[in-house]
Amino acid sequence: MPNIDPYQYGCVEKSSTTHALVHLIHHWLNATEAPNTVIRSCLIDFSKAFDRIDHTILQHKLQLFNTPQVLLNWCANFLTNRKQRVCLNSFFSPWKHVHAGVPQGTKLGPLFFLVMVNDLRTDLPLYKYVDECTIYEVVTKGESSILQNELNKIINGLTLTT
């Protein structure tokens, strides 16, 4: 898929967790060749990521990919007017409308999430694997860290857009 962040390793053809880990560890090992070098990293897992996708924001982001209108309409139809219920020991809850999220177990669910996080950027290296990502910095011992500031940007950006 064109325009996908090259550091997105999930749901991308000819890419896997192995590719992400090899690339990440390669960079870490190269960086630690210098004396007094430290790697600071944070691994992020987006909680209930697929359940929290705002359909309006997703549609907007799909438009930014120059998705043809017929596909935008199809995606909107796929996501709207969905209902779900719970079954426990042959007892069913009432049907409830689902106003956010994407159906799990579909081919489109991970693709939609990939579109949602595609524009997630930081000033530090950021490796994405669907609903998880790793951000890191290479610093010399004693050097100040910007990792927390970048994490705050990620949190604030996600709060504003998803």
Side-chain angles (χ1 to χ4, degrees), residues 7 10 18 37 59 71 81 87 94 96 126 133 139 148 151 154 160:
Y7 291 101
T18 303
T37 302
Q59 286 288 112
L71 287 178
N81 297 319
C87 174
K96 297 284 185 178
L126 181 68
C133 63
V139 294
Q148 186 61 56
L151 289 168
I154 290 171
L160 296 174

Side-chain angles (χ1 to χ4, degrees), residues 20-41:
L21 289 171
V22 166
H23 198 257
L24 185 64
I25 291 170
H26 172 74
H27 284 275
W28 286 356
L29 291 174
N30 281 344
T32 56
E33 292 287 324
N36 298 317
T37 302
V38 177
I39 307 290
R40 294 181 179 138
S41 66

